[in-house]
Amino acid sequence: MFNKLKLDGASYLAAQRAYDGWSLFGIVVLGALLSTAALAVLLYRSGGAFGLVVLAFICIGATQLAFWTRTFPANQATRNWTVLPENWEMLRRQWEYSHAVAACLNALALLLLFLSALRVETR
C-alpha cells in the first residue's frame, strides 16, 4: 500500500489493472457472511464460542461497510481506475486505506473464528 501511494497517476492506473475481475470475489464474501451466520445459529447456546462468532460476523459485515462507503465510490469516480479525476490522489488514499481496514477486519474475523473453535465443547 505505501509503495502504491508513491506512484504517479499513470503508474497507479497500471498497477490497478491487477484488480481486474476481483468483483467476482464478492461471491466469497457472501459465502463468508452466510457461513458465519449459520455457525452463529448453530452455536447459539454454547456461551463464549457464540459471542466470538457473532463478533467475527460483525467484522466481516464491517468490511462491506468499508467497501460500499469508501472503496466503491472511489471505483465509481475513477471508472474502476481507468480515468483520473482531479481529486484522484484523495480517492487513491480512500481506496487504499479502505482496503487496509478491510484486511485488518478480515484478519480479526479469522482470529475470532479460530478462538471460537477452541472454546466449543466437544461431547
Side-chain angles (χ1 to χ4, degrees), residues 46-91:
S46 63
F50 169 74
L52 292 169
V53 171
V54 169
L55 288 174
F57 178 82
I58 291 168
C59 287
I60 297 168
T63 67
Q64 287 303 289
L65 181 65
F67 176 81
W68 291 107
T69 62
R70 310 303 288 166
T71 308
F72 185 74
N75 287 343
Q76 293 295 102
T78 60
R79 293 188 214 139
N80 287 318
W81 296 100
T82 58
V83 298
L84 293 178
E86 265 191 47
N87 65 338
W88 76 271
E89 289 172 312
M90 184 274 302
L91 292 167

Side-chain angles (χ1 to χ4, degrees), residues 14-66:
Q16 287 299 89
R17 298 292 40 94
Y19 297 99
D20 288 348
W22 274 72
S23 60
L24 297 174
F25 201 71
I27 295 166
V28 174
V29 175
L30 180 60
L33 280 168
L34 293 175
S35 62
T36 307
L39 183 59
V41 169
L42 291 171
L43 295 176
Y44 177 64
R45 297 190 182 205
S46 63
F50 169 74
L52 292 169
V53 171
V54 169
L55 288 174
F57 178 82
I58 291 168
C59 287
I60 297 168
T63 67
Q64 287 303 289
L65 181 65

